[in-house]
Amino acid sequence: MTKRKGYHHGNLQVGLVAAGLELVRKNGASALTTRACAQWNGVSSSAVFRHFRDRRALLRAVAAEGFAMLARTTAIDDPALTRQDRLLAIGGAYLRFAIEEPNLFRLMYGADAQDTADPDPDPDPDPDFEVAADPLLAQTAFAAGAEGDMSDARTLLAWSIVHGLAMLTLDNQLEGLVPSDPRERAERLEAILVHALPLFADADTGERRG
């Protein structure tokens, strides 16, 4: 990994997250260490701890950046779309992100980035991590017809379908069932997703079915 300079002082925190993001995307979460991120920025390892209390705090910051990237990727601004077409657009973008960024995607939803799996949770959790995933889930809730309720069963069902397809693909459980080429794989998964859209049809608006 190329060593970078110029992230000292106020920019070092940004530089550390950028280093962690590059490490994870190339080699997975295990490659993210405070020493490697410090070296990437041309600073001592101790400098990391002025911004992050430990490796896990840095890892969560990288995961939060991943969620921000995913939220931008899945942002749908076209008000003319039907609810089902909006859901398909969000789901398709979600699947493509998972296929294109497998290491980052695994980190974002992995136990290392989640408080629930930590026997000693951070006493000062980073709110950016919690907030980063909200736009995606809120969009999903709206598209699923849940009126923005992120705990509505329709929201959870829509997310489960798309996330399940993504994880089955990353875990090679669909080997032989979907193409190996990333672009063709994404297209095939989107075609599969179309079959779930009638579950979210709105009979009052005459949205397309099946």
Side-chain angles (χ1 to χ4, degrees), residues 156-174:
L156 300 179
L157 177 61
W159 184 31
S160 296
I161 291 170
V162 178
H163 187 74
L165 283 172
M167 291 309 301
L168 285 170
T169 300
L170 296 188
D171 289 340
N172 294 319
Q173 297 301 309
L174 299 181

Side-chain angles (χ1 to χ4, degrees), residues 11-30:
N11 291 328
L12 179 56
Q13 184 171 348
V14 173
L16 292 170
V17 173
L21 187 63
E22 181 174 314
L23 284 163
V24 170
R25 293 172 82 178
K26 287 185 175 180
N27 300 305
S30 63

